[in-house]
Amino acid sequence: MRLFGRKDGEDGTGGHGTGGPGAGVPVFWAWWQEARPRVEAVVAAGDANGLAELLDPAVSALHPGLVWELAPGKEAAHALVVTAAGDAELRPLAHRWARAAPQGDLLWEFHPSRQADPRASERTFDMDGRTVELDKLTLGLRVPRDGSRVDVSAYHPIFGELDEDIRMEATLLALDWLLGEDDVARWVGEITPVTFEPIDAVAAAHLPAVVADLASDLAPGPGEEQWALLEGQTVSGAPLHASARHPLRPVDHPLLDRHIEITLPYRHRDEGGLPAVGSLTSLQSFEDRLTAGLLDRRETALLAVRLSAEGLRIFHLYADRDGDAHTWAGELVKEWNEGKARVQVSDDPAWTAVAPFLT
């Protein structure tokens, strides 16, 4: 049995209120402990309406944008999934919900995203009153030149009878079951539902193998970091040099939802405004201290992007709001002596501040 909760509009309730993101998580798990016998009773009875009456308000109290799903578990009989359903702004909240979950047992396990279903091609689901059979779904697959993701054109014989939004909803749900929701965010690029089958279409069941090959080609070795070196121009036309972690994907670090921007003015620069001898040593020394501090916080903070332009070196960090990285960064910049350093902290679960650098 697979049951879903609907994604409703904002209604002013939930964990995004005065307590801040995640404030409703302990409330949910206290409710779960009390309500679990009733949940199990309606699940055993196959009572979808009864289950919705229990879970809809409880999940909505976390945030109205979250979606719940009851699915077969990997180890347990049932998996309760509470997912952001592709909304990057809500992904950290779903992961905080899962992090606070009780330990799984023979009956229940808990996930913050839809999990890949090895029998996905045997599944069916209803969409706008029509039955979508996944074994009839075919995909046109194209790996762009940069090779970091696969673009998907999805075709199903009933797509011509569905409107555009419903076609996309059905496609996204099918991809989540085929790959798992996180791997869709990680490895799938452009998604296009189509009403005519692509010439080179393959059965949807082949998608996991294609993605596995792509992932193996791009995966760094154990303990290895990869950085992309980039050059460009500022709005005023000055040269800009940047390096970005590669791959750089919020889905890989779902709890790092706080953006910390460190800006260092440097005294010695070339005619284009890039750092020159005299400041390079100071910048490297600062970065060494920054790297050492991040190593101590490897689970709660990450350097995403560094760039230099117009006399400024800027570091973009992402951190867990529950950690101390923002306080530590403020102390670290006090040692900078080539101008007034700045630290700006903001909530940015979708990593919009580094959007041009995302893989």
Side-chain angles (χ1 to χ4, degrees), residues 206-227:
H206 293 299
L207 180 62
V210 172
V211 167
D213 287 343
L214 181 64
S216 65
D217 290 341
L218 295 177
E224 179 183 328
E225 290 186 354
Q226 296 182 155
W227 292 81

Side-chain angles (χ1 to χ4, degrees), residues 116-331:
D117 185 345
R119 301 179 61 185
S121 60
E122 302 173 19
R123 300 292 181 184
T124 65
F125 59 93
D126 292 333
M127 191 63 61
D128 198 33
R130 301 301 305 270
T131 298
V132 180
E133 299 164 306
L134 262 66
D135 63 351
K136 295 182 180 179
L137 182 71
T138 59
L139 306 174
L141 306 176
R142 184 179 69 86
V143 179
R145 182 173 298 177
D146 67 2
S148 61
R149 294 191 179 195
V150 57
D151 293 337
V152 174
S153 298
Y155 169 77
H156 194 282
I158 70 165
F159 275 5
E161 304 170 31
L162 303 175
D163 66 33
E164 184 176 355
D165 290 342
I166 299 298
R167 289 197 297 268
M168 178 60 81
E169 186 178 351
T171 299
L172 292 174
L173 185 57
L175 294 178
D176 285 350
W177 286 353
L178 288 162
L179 290 179
E181 184 180 337
D182 288 347
D183 269 355
V184 172
R186 194 172 281 122
W187 298 113
V188 177
E190 184 176 342
I191 301 172
T192 309
V194 294
T195 55
F196 294 93
E197 187 169 29
I199 294 175
D200 56 352
V202 298
H206 293 299
L207 180 62
V210 172
V211 167
D213 287 343
L214 181 64
S216 65
D217 290 341
L218 295 177
E224 179 183 328
E225 290 186 354
Q226 296 182 155
W227 292 81
L229 303 180
L230 308 164
E231 294 184 2
Q233 292 183 330
T234 66
V235 173
S236 63
L240 180 151
H241 288 181
S243 55
R245 188 176 295 274
H246 184 81
L248 184 63
R249 299 175 294 220
V251 69
D252 291 337
H253 311 281
L255 295 176
L256 305 189
D257 56 355
R258 177 158 286 176
H259 176 232
I260 302 171
E261 181 178 314
I262 300 174
T263 302
L264 305 179
Y266 45 83
R267 187 175 297 126
H268 305 280
R269 62 186 80 173
D270 63 19
E271 60 183 12
L274 297 172
V277 175
S279 288
L280 285 172
T281 301
S282 298
L283 288 168
Q284 186 58 57
S285 177
F286 178 89
E287 186 162 341
D288 289 343
R289 296 193 301 274
L290 177 69
T291 301
L294 289 172
L295 187 62
D296 292 338
R297 297 165 176 81
R298 64 176 66 88
E299 300 298 326
T300 60
L302 177 82
L303 174 61
V305 176
R306 62 172 78 84
L307 60 88
S308 300
E310 299 182 326
L312 299 174
R313 170 69 59 85
I314 300 174
F315 300 91
H316 292 279
L317 281 64
Y318 279 87
D320 188 329
R321 67 174 58 250
D322 297 330
D324 70 342
H326 58 289
T327 303
W328 160 73
E331 292 297 319

